PDB file of all heavy atoms in Angstrom:
ATOM      1  N   ASP U 161     -10.966  -4.511 -11.035  1.00  0.00           N
ATOM      2  CA  ASP U 161      -9.883  -5.469 -11.160  1.00  0.00           C
ATOM      3  C   ASP U 161      -8.851  -5.216 -10.064  1.00  0.00           C
ATOM      4  O   ASP U 161      -9.072  -4.372  -9.170  1.00  0.00           O
ATOM      5  CB  ASP U 161      -9.267  -5.394 -12.556  1.00  0.00           C
ATOM      6  CG  ASP U 161      -8.807  -3.993 -12.932  1.00  0.00           C
ATOM      7  OD1 ASP U 161      -8.685  -3.128 -12.031  1.00  0.00           O
ATOM      8  OD2 ASP U 161      -8.582  -3.747 -14.131  1.00  0.00           O
ATOM      9  N   ASP U 162      -7.700  -5.883 -10.144  1.00  0.00           N
ATOM     10  CA  ASP U 162      -6.660  -5.716  -9.128  1.00  0.00           C
ATOM     11  C   ASP U 162      -6.168  -4.275  -9.047  1.00  0.00           C
ATOM     12  O   ASP U 162      -5.860  -3.778  -7.964  1.00  0.00           O
ATOM     13  CB  ASP U 162      -5.479  -6.663  -9.426  1.00  0.00           C
ATOM     14  CG  ASP U 162      -5.824  -8.111  -9.134  1.00  0.00           C
ATOM     15  OD1 ASP U 162      -6.830  -8.366  -8.450  1.00  0.00           O
ATOM     16  OD2 ASP U 162      -5.064  -8.998  -9.605  1.00  0.00           O
ATOM     17  N   GLU U 163      -6.118  -3.580 -10.181  1.00  0.00           N
ATOM     18  CA  GLU U 163      -5.658  -2.172 -10.182  1.00  0.00           C
ATOM     19  C   GLU U 163      -6.649  -1.296  -9.382  1.00  0.00           C
ATOM     20  O   GLU U 163      -6.224  -0.460  -8.586  1.00  0.00           O
ATOM     21  CB  GLU U 163      -5.595  -1.667 -11.626  1.00  0.00           C
ATOM     22  CG  GLU U 163      -5.157  -0.226 -11.749  1.00  0.00           C
ATOM     23  CD  GLU U 163      -5.210   0.276 -13.178  1.00  0.00           C
ATOM     24  OE1 GLU U 163      -4.987  -0.506 -14.123  1.00  0.00           O
ATOM     25  OE2 GLU U 163      -5.472   1.495 -13.330  1.00  0.00           O
ATOM     26  N   ILE U 164      -7.935  -1.506  -9.568  1.00  0.00           N
ATOM     27  CA  ILE U 164      -8.936  -0.712  -8.838  1.00  0.00           C
ATOM     28  C   ILE U 164      -8.931  -1.091  -7.357  1.00  0.00           C
ATOM     29  O   ILE U 164      -9.011  -0.221  -6.504  1.00  0.00           O
ATOM     30  CB  ILE U 164     -10.344  -0.889  -9.453  1.00  0.00           C
ATOM     31  CG1 ILE U 164     -10.386  -0.310 -10.881  1.00  0.00           C
ATOM     32  CG2 ILE U 164     -11.426  -0.264  -8.565  1.00  0.00           C
ATOM     33  CD1 ILE U 164     -10.125   1.180 -10.972  1.00  0.00           C
ATOM     34  N   ARG U 165      -8.795  -2.373  -7.054  1.00  0.00           N
ATOM     35  CA  ARG U 165      -8.745  -2.800  -5.645  1.00  0.00           C
ATOM     36  C   ARG U 165      -7.518  -2.187  -4.948  1.00  0.00           C
ATOM     37  O   ARG U 165      -7.594  -1.753  -3.809  1.00  0.00           O
ATOM     38  CB  ARG U 165      -8.758  -4.315  -5.528  1.00  0.00           C
ATOM     39  CG  ARG U 165     -10.158  -4.895  -5.768  1.00  0.00           C
ATOM     40  CD  ARG U 165     -10.221  -6.399  -5.460  1.00  0.00           C
ATOM     41  NE  ARG U 165      -9.653  -7.195  -6.526  1.00  0.00           N
ATOM     42  CZ  ARG U 165     -10.308  -7.563  -7.625  1.00  0.00           C
ATOM     43  NH1 ARG U 165     -11.579  -7.235  -7.767  1.00  0.00           N
ATOM     44  NH2 ARG U 165      -9.723  -8.295  -8.554  1.00  0.00           N
ATOM     45  N   ALA U 166      -6.395  -2.109  -5.639  1.00  0.00           N
ATOM     46  CA  ALA U 166      -5.169  -1.501  -5.106  1.00  0.00           C
ATOM     47  C   ALA U 166      -5.398  -0.002  -4.888  1.00  0.00           C
ATOM     48  O   ALA U 166      -4.984   0.575  -3.883  1.00  0.00           O
ATOM     49  CB  ALA U 166      -3.978  -1.742  -5.992  1.00  0.00           C
ATOM     50  N   LEU U 167      -6.084   0.639  -5.854  1.00  0.00           N
ATOM     51  CA  LEU U 167      -6.391   2.062  -5.710  1.00  0.00           C
ATOM     52  C   LEU U 167      -7.244   2.310  -4.480  1.00  0.00           C
ATOM     53  O   LEU U 167      -7.001   3.231  -3.701  1.00  0.00           O
ATOM     54  CB  LEU U 167      -7.119   2.560  -6.976  1.00  0.00           C
ATOM     55  CG  LEU U 167      -7.605   4.025  -6.931  1.00  0.00           C
ATOM     56  CD1 LEU U 167      -6.479   5.012  -6.770  1.00  0.00           C
ATOM     57  CD2 LEU U 167      -8.436   4.337  -8.176  1.00  0.00           C
ATOM     58  N   VAL U 168      -8.259   1.470  -4.263  1.00  0.00           N
ATOM     59  CA  VAL U 168      -9.116   1.590  -3.072  1.00  0.00           C
ATOM     60  C   VAL U 168      -8.281   1.469  -1.790  1.00  0.00           C
ATOM     61  O   VAL U 168      -8.433   2.274  -0.865  1.00  0.00           O
ATOM     62  CB  VAL U 168     -10.282   0.543  -3.104  1.00  0.00           C
ATOM     63  CG1 VAL U 168     -10.960   0.451  -1.750  1.00  0.00           C
ATOM     64  CG2 VAL U 168     -11.284   0.884  -4.201  1.00  0.00           C
ATOM     65  N   ARG U 169      -7.385   0.499  -1.742  1.00  0.00           N
ATOM     66  CA  ARG U 169      -6.534   0.321  -0.548  1.00  0.00           C
ATOM     67  C   ARG U 169      -5.641   1.550  -0.325  1.00  0.00           C
ATOM     68  O   ARG U 169      -5.523   2.045   0.791  1.00  0.00           O
ATOM     69  CB  ARG U 169      -5.696  -0.952  -0.673  1.00  0.00           C
ATOM     70  CG  ARG U 169      -6.466  -2.228  -0.497  1.00  0.00           C
ATOM     71  CD  ARG U 169      -5.545  -3.467  -0.356  1.00  0.00           C
ATOM     72  NE  ARG U 169      -4.684  -3.666  -1.509  1.00  0.00           N
ATOM     73  CZ  ARG U 169      -5.027  -4.347  -2.618  1.00  0.00           C
ATOM     74  NH1 ARG U 169      -6.220  -4.890  -2.710  1.00  0.00           N
ATOM     75  NH2 ARG U 169      -4.153  -4.477  -3.613  1.00  0.00           N
ATOM     76  N   ASP U 170      -5.021   2.036  -1.407  1.00  0.00           N
ATOM     77  CA  ASP U 170      -4.128   3.184  -1.291  1.00  0.00           C
ATOM     78  C   ASP U 170      -4.911   4.438  -0.890  1.00  0.00           C
ATOM     79  O   ASP U 170      -4.428   5.251  -0.089  1.00  0.00           O
ATOM     80  CB  ASP U 170      -3.364   3.435  -2.603  1.00  0.00           C
ATOM     81  CG  ASP U 170      -2.353   2.342  -2.898  1.00  0.00           C
ATOM     82  OD1 ASP U 170      -2.018   1.534  -2.000  1.00  0.00           O
ATOM     83  OD2 ASP U 170      -1.862   2.293  -4.045  1.00  0.00           O
ATOM     84  N   MET U 171      -6.097   4.599  -1.473  1.00  0.00           N
ATOM     85  CA  MET U 171      -6.929   5.763  -1.109  1.00  0.00           C
ATOM     86  C   MET U 171      -7.342   5.694   0.366  1.00  0.00           C
ATOM     87  O   MET U 171      -7.327   6.719   1.053  1.00  0.00           O
ATOM     88  CB  MET U 171      -8.158   5.850  -2.019  1.00  0.00           C
ATOM     89  CG  MET U 171      -7.857   6.322  -3.439  1.00  0.00           C
ATOM     90  SD  MET U 171      -9.289   6.243  -4.526  1.00  0.00           S
ATOM     91  CE  MET U 171     -10.472   7.308  -3.662  1.00  0.00           C
ATOM     92  N   ALA U 172      -7.692   4.511   0.835  1.00  0.00           N
ATOM     93  CA  ALA U 172      -8.099   4.341   2.234  1.00  0.00           C
ATOM     94  C   ALA U 172      -6.931   4.712   3.151  1.00  0.00           C
ATOM     95  O   ALA U 172      -7.089   5.477   4.129  1.00  0.00           O
ATOM     96  CB  ALA U 172      -8.582   2.942   2.499  1.00  0.00           C
ATOM     97  N   GLU U 173      -5.744   4.205   2.842  1.00  0.00           N
ATOM     98  CA  GLU U 173      -4.558   4.504   3.660  1.00  0.00           C
ATOM     99  C   GLU U 173      -4.297   6.007   3.663  1.00  0.00           C
ATOM    100  O   GLU U 173      -4.016   6.608   4.693  1.00  0.00           O
ATOM    101  CB  GLU U 173      -3.353   3.744   3.126  1.00  0.00           C
ATOM    102  CG  GLU U 173      -2.119   3.950   3.952  1.00  0.00           C
ATOM    103  CD  GLU U 173      -0.899   3.172   3.464  1.00  0.00           C
ATOM    104  OE1 GLU U 173      -1.024   2.408   2.487  1.00  0.00           O
ATOM    105  OE2 GLU U 173       0.169   3.376   4.066  1.00  0.00           O
ATOM    106  N   THR U 174      -4.408   6.637   2.503  1.00  0.00           N
ATOM    107  CA  THR U 174      -4.179   8.078   2.368  1.00  0.00           C
ATOM    108  C   THR U 174      -5.193   8.873   3.174  1.00  0.00           C
ATOM    109  O   THR U 174      -4.868   9.803   3.899  1.00  0.00           O
ATOM    110  CB  THR U 174      -4.225   8.473   0.874  1.00  0.00           C
ATOM    111  OG1 THR U 174      -3.226   7.740   0.169  1.00  0.00           O
ATOM    112  CG2 THR U 174      -4.000   9.969   0.694  1.00  0.00           C
TER     113      THR U 174
END
Side-chain angles (χ1 to χ4, degrees):
D161 54 16
D162 288 344
E163 179 185 329
I164 295 298
R165 284 188 281 276
L167 175 62
V168 167
R169 287 191 300 273
D170 291 347
M171 286 174 59
E173 183 179 356
T174 301

